Amino acid sequence: RKEVEQDPGPFNVPEGATVAFNCTYSNSASQSFFWYRQDCRKEPKLLMSVYSSGNEDGRFTAQLNRASQYISLLIRDSKLSDSATYLCVVTGRGSGNTGKLIFGQGTTLQVKP
Amino acid sequence: GAGVSQSPSNKVTEKGKDVELRCDPISGHTALYWYRQSLGQGLEFLIYFQGNSAPDKSGLPSDRFSAERTGGSVSTLTIQRTQQEDSAVYLCASSLLAGGRQETQYFGPGTRLLVL
């Protein structure tokens, strides 16, 4: 079983739609959680950190449920420019406090006009 | 300001040859990471450097892989006797600090390695 699991998609949605991505992680000792965005043939870039209290950045809302080991990302009012692969990422105490990132395989989003 | 840079951007080599991949982290960043992204796979951690501490090599897939970081700045990832399964995008990332308070990792554009 992978340490971080995501539905690879693709998710094909029309502009303006609301779309949600989910992710589960297996290491209960994981301490930090993120969503990264990766455009085709580009490097990953941090989209947002994820906190237990939930956090919002414009059209993007991230949630963490430690009890269920579950992370979510909600995108409202999708734009064409949101088309990308969204990577669920965790770190953990098991990483020896190095901060190394453990990536899910990513969920592909395609927003259509 | 300058981000993480990597060279070469693309490398084609023959099976059995050695290759060296270079990473220049963001100036002042003490933590440096190498990751690998194979086709259809997620990113996987390879190795981590932090200051003068011993590197975390736990992600290196075999003893054909090694990395150095000289002077706390530039890093070189070396793959000896390359195999076709080594074909992937090799990504370098750096962060200001590591451990404890999680710092954002900034990724370079990667080196696309193709082993024929």
Side-chain angles (χ1 to χ4, degrees):
Chain A
R1 184 188 171 195
K2 291 185 171 61
E3 285 194 68
V4 180
E5 300 219 42
Q6 297 180 248
D7 179 350
F11 284 60
N12 295 302
V13 303
E15 269 188 293
T18 295
V19 61
F21 304 139
N22 304 316
C23 164
T24 57
Y25 60 95
S26 61
N27 185 354
S28 59
S30 297
Q31 294 184 321
S32 302
F33 309 87
F34 311 91
W35 284 100
Y36 273 71
R37 171 190 169 133
Q38 187 172 27
D39 292 284
C40 188
R41 298 182 67 81
K42 298 286 190 182
E43 70 273 23
K45 293 184 179 176
L46 179 67
L47 179 66
M48 58 198 304
S49 301
V50 188
Y51 306 112
S52 297
S53 55
N55 48 302
E56 188 174 309
D57 182 2
R59 298 181 294 108
F60 299 83
T61 301
Q63 293 277 357
L64 167 65
N65 184 322
R66 284 187 182 269
S68 302
Q69 295 178 208
Y70 173 94
I71 306 163
S72 66
L73 176 68
L74 184 76
I75 306 175
R76 291 181 298 279
D77 189 22
S78 301
K79 311 291 185 190
L80 295 176
S81 57
D82 294 335
S83 298
T85 295
Y86 291 83
L87 302 166
C88 178
V89 185
V90 309
T91 64
R93 206 158 36 221
S95 68
N97 223 24
T98 64
K100 71 181 181 186
L101 301 178
I102 302 166
F103 287 81
Q105 283 198 278
T107 299
T108 300
L109 172 66
Q110 185 68 46
V111 181
K112 307 278 190 189
Chain B
V4 177
S5 61
Q6 292 186 244
S7 61
S9 54
N10 292 281
K11 176 71 176 179
V12 180
T13 190
E14 293 178 348
K15 179 181 171 181
K17 301 277 190 184
D18 298 351
V19 295
E20 281 190 357
L21 313 179
R22 177 187 168 108
C23 172
D24 281 271
I26 293 172
S27 177
H29 280 194
T30 62
L32 186 148
Y33 304 79
W34 283 98
Y35 296 87
R36 176 171 74 172
Q37 188 170 29
S38 304
L39 188 63
Q41 303 293 319
L43 282 89
E44 57 174 330
F45 166 79
L46 297 177
I47 189 170
Y48 152 82
F49 296 91
Q50 168 68 45
N52 295 321
S53 302
D56 175 359
K57 304 179 182 180
S58 60
L60 294 178
S62 78
D63 58 8
R64 295 187 295 104
F65 287 72
S66 62
E68 290 184 340
R69 188 178 185 193
T70 53
S73 182
V74 172
S75 177
T76 302
L77 177 69
T78 301
I79 309 173
Q80 296 178 307
R81 305 181 302 283
T82 52
Q83 303 295 311
Q84 289 181 330
E85 61 263 28
D86 299 335
S87 297
V89 179
Y90 289 82
L91 290 154
C92 176
S94 72
S95 66
L96 192 58
L97 296 170
R101 177 170 172 264
Q102 180 61 35
E103 294 283 349
T104 299
Q105 292 184 27
Y106 297 88
F107 283 81
T111 293
R112 284 170 177 75
L113 175 65
L114 177 62
V115 182
L116 301 177

